[in-house]
Amino acid sequence: MTDRLRLITWNINSLRLRMPLLGRVVEETRPDVVCLQETKVDDANFPLEAVQALGFAHVSFRGDKGYNGVAILSKRPIEPAGHRFWGGVEDARHISARLPDGMIVHNFYVPAGGDVPDPEVNPKFAHKLRFLDDLTAWGPEIAGSTAPRIMVGDLNIAPLETDVWSHKQLLKVVSHTPVEVEKLDAVQAAGAWVDVVRQVIPPEQKLYSWWSYRARDWAAADRGRRLDHIWTDATLAPRVRGALVLKEARGWEQPSDHVPVMVDIDPA
């Protein structure tokens, strides 16, 4: 029987800059799989040896120079399971891999969408909405799969009122606007996904995974948003035994503005 799987998703905001922090996360949490977003490194310069030195013998990555970028680091063997381009742009925002038990992990970095929540005047927001529409269209295909599946990443939307520090004040702020929440709900429904972090941590509880660099004292202000998510299919969801947001990582030296989100999954 395979041991319990510990999986982390983290928008690391530059892998090479934050290798020491990745090492600290790995040392303190002992994950089996780490899914990274915003690695900000092209494939030719990916720090493969340094990542493998942390115990991840199996690594799959896709990058763009200086922005975007996704990677799956695993202590267990993985097979590449492809990637797609979403929203009509060919960039490094998706990668997938298959674990030995057949589980397919999809790692996403959804566009942030810029500052103005109007697709008519903001091309970045229009791209984000197209990206989400493509994910919804993909839903029936993925929902029909017999393999256990998990979708993780920086989805750049905080859907619940308790996923933001102030629902009322953020209704017109990109990441919590009604149109974004509606489209993320559509993605979840189309793919028959379960938000397993909120399965473990009650939806009534405030929960954030991102705090802006703009805050002079992020901890005192605590104006966060839950932008980073872990979803599974309905058959896998009952095997999720724990979920944790590593809030303390936001206070480490030279931190990402996101913190790792972790789940434990029991074997079948």
Side-chain angles (χ1 to χ4, degrees), residues 1 35-36 40 50 58 61 72 88 94 103 114 121 156-157 170 175 180 200 220 227 241 250 263:
M1 184 174 72
C35 295
L36 300 175
K40 293 185 176 179
H58 312 280
F61 53 87
I72 299 175
H94 171 230
M103 183 191 304
V121 300
N156 260 314
I157 298 171
L170 293 180
S175 78
E180 292 170 275
V200 176
L227 304 180
R241 289 288 177 256
R250 183 61 180 82
V263 295

Coordinates of all heavy atoms in Angstrom, one line a residue, residues 1 35-36 40 50 58 61 72 88 94 103 114 121 156-157 170 175 180 200 220 227 241 250 263:
M1 N 0.9 -1.2 0.0 CA 0.0 0.0 0.0 C 0.9 1.2 0.0 O 1.8 1.3 0.8 CB -0.9 0.0 1.2 CG -1.9 1.2 1.2 SD -3.1 1.1 2.6 CE -2.0 1.4 4.0
C35 N 3.8 21.6 -6.2 CA 3.5 22.2 -7.4 C 3.7 23.7 -7.3 O 3.2 24.4 -6.4 CB 2.0 22.0 -7.7 SG 1.6 20.3 -8.0
L36 N 4.6 24.3 -8.1 CA 5.0 25.7 -8.1 C 4.4 26.4 -9.2 O 4.2 25.9 -10.3 CB 6.5 25.8 -8.1 CG 7.3 25.1 -7.0 CD1 8.8 25.2 -7.3 CD2 7.0 25.7 -5.6
K40 N 9.1 31.9 -13.0 CA 9.9 33.0 -13.6 C 11.2 32.6 -14.1 O 12.2 33.3 -14.1 CB 10.1 34.2 -12.6 CG 8.8 34.9 -12.2 CD 9.0 36.1 -11.4 CE 7.8 36.9 -11.1 NZ 8.0 38.1 -10.2
A50 N 19.5 21.8 -8.1 CA 19.2 22.3 -6.8 C 17.9 21.7 -6.3 O 17.8 21.4 -5.1 CB 19.2 23.8 -6.8
H58 N 12.2 13.5 -9.3 CA 11.3 13.5 -10.5 C 10.7 15.0 -10.7 O 10.0 15.4 -9.8 CB 10.2 12.5 -10.4 CG 10.7 11.1 -10.0 ND1 11.3 10.3 -10.9 CD2 10.8 10.5 -8.8 CE1 11.7 9.2 -10.3 NE2 11.4 9.3 -9.0
F61 N 8.6 20.6 -15.7 CA 8.5 22.0 -15.7 C 8.3 22.6 -17.0 O 8.7 22.0 -18.1 CB 9.7 22.7 -15.0 CG 11.1 22.3 -15.6 CD1 11.6 23.0 -16.6 CD2 11.8 21.2 -15.0 CE1 12.8 22.6 -17.2 CE2 13.0 20.8 -15.6 CZ 13.5 21.5 -16.6
I72 N 6.2 20.8 -11.4 CA 5.8 19.8 -10.5 C 7.0 19.0 -10.0 O 7.8 18.4 -10.8 CB 4.8 18.8 -11.1 CG1 3.5 19.5 -11.6 CG2 4.4 17.7 -10.2 CD1 2.5 18.7 -12.3
G88 N -6.3 31.6 -25.4 CA -5.8 32.1 -26.7 C -4.4 32.6 -26.6 O -3.9 33.2 -27.6
H94 N 0.2 26.0 -17.4 CA -0.4 24.7 -17.1 C 0.6 23.6 -17.3 O 1.3 23.6 -18.3 CB -1.6 24.5 -17.9 CG -2.2 23.1 -17.8 ND1 -2.5 22.4 -18.9 CD2 -2.5 22.4 -16.7 CE1 -3.0 21.2 -18.5 NE2 -3.0 21.2 -17.2
M103 N -3.1 8.7 -10.3 CA -3.6 10.1 -10.1 C -2.9 11.1 -11.0 O -1.7 11.1 -11.1 CB -3.3 10.5 -8.6 CG -3.9 11.8 -8.2 SD -3.3 12.4 -6.6 CE -3.8 11.0 -5.6
G114 N -4.8 42.0 -14.1 CA -4.6 43.5 -14.1 C -5.4 44.1 -13.0 O -5.9 43.5 -12.1
V121 N -11.7 47.5 -21.6 CA -10.6 48.4 -21.5 C -9.3 47.8 -21.0 O -8.2 48.4 -21.1 CB -11.0 49.6 -20.6 CG1 -12.1 50.4 -21.2 CG2 -11.2 49.2 -19.2
N156 N -6.0 32.7 -8.7 CA -6.1 34.2 -8.7 C -7.5 34.7 -8.5 O -7.9 35.8 -9.0 CB -5.5 34.8 -10.0 CG -4.1 35.3 -9.7 OD1 -3.8 36.0 -8.7 ND2 -3.1 35.0 -10.6
I157 N -8.3 33.9 -7.8 CA -9.7 34.3 -7.5 C -9.9 33.8 -6.1 O -9.6 32.7 -5.7 CB -10.7 33.7 -8.4 CG1 -10.5 34.2 -9.9 CG2 -12.2 34.1 -8.0 CD1 -11.4 33.5 -10.9
L170 N -14.1 44.7 -1.6 CA -13.4 44.0 -2.7 C -14.3 43.6 -3.8 O -13.8 43.0 -4.8 CB -12.5 42.8 -2.2 CG -11.4 43.2 -1.2 CD1 -10.7 41.9 -0.8 CD2 -10.4 44.1 -1.9
S175 N -10.1 39.8 -8.6 CA -9.8 38.6 -7.8 C -11.1 38.2 -7.0 O -11.2 37.1 -6.6 CB -8.6 38.6 -6.9 OG -8.8 39.4 -5.8
E180 N -15.8 37.2 -11.9 CA -14.8 36.2 -11.7 C -15.2 35.0 -10.8 O -14.9 33.8 -11.1 CB -13.5 36.8 -11.0 CG -12.8 37.8 -11.9 CD -11.8 38.6 -11.1 OE1 -12.2 39.6 -10.5 OE2 -10.6 38.2 -11.1
V200 N -12.0 20.6 4.6 CA -11.3 20.4 5.9 C -11.5 21.7 6.8 O -11.8 21.5 8.0 CB -9.8 20.1 5.7 CG1 -9.1 20.0 7.0 CG2 -9.7 18.8 4.9
A220 N -0.1 42.7 10.7 CA -1.0 43.6 11.5 C -2.3 43.9 10.7 O -3.4 43.9 11.3 CB -0.3 44.8 11.9
L227 N -6.2 33.0 -2.7 CA -6.1 32.9 -4.2 C -5.6 31.5 -4.6 O -5.6 31.2 -5.8 CB -5.1 33.9 -4.7 CG -5.5 35.4 -4.4 CD1 -4.4 36.3 -4.9 CD2 -6.9 35.8 -4.8
R241 N -7.3 14.0 4.3 CA -7.3 13.9 5.8 C -6.9 15.2 6.5 O -7.0 15.3 7.7 CB -6.5 12.7 6.2 CG -7.1 11.4 5.9 CD -8.3 11.1 6.8 NE -9.0 9.9 6.4 CZ -10.1 9.8 5.7 NH1 -10.7 11.0 5.3 NH2 -10.7 8.7 5.4
R250 N 4.8 33.8 5.1 CA 4.7 35.2 4.6 C 5.7 36.1 5.3 O 6.0 37.2 4.8 CB 3.3 35.7 4.6 CG 3.0 37.1 4.1 CD 3.3 37.1 2.6 NE 3.1 38.5 2.1 CZ 3.9 39.5 2.2 NH1 5.1 39.4 2.8 NH2 3.6 40.7 1.7
V263 N -2.2 19.7 1.5 CA -3.1 18.7 1.9 C -2.4 17.3 2.1 O -1.4 17.1 1.4 CB -4.3 18.5 0.9 CG1 -5.1 19.8 0.8 CG2 -3.8 18.1 -0.5

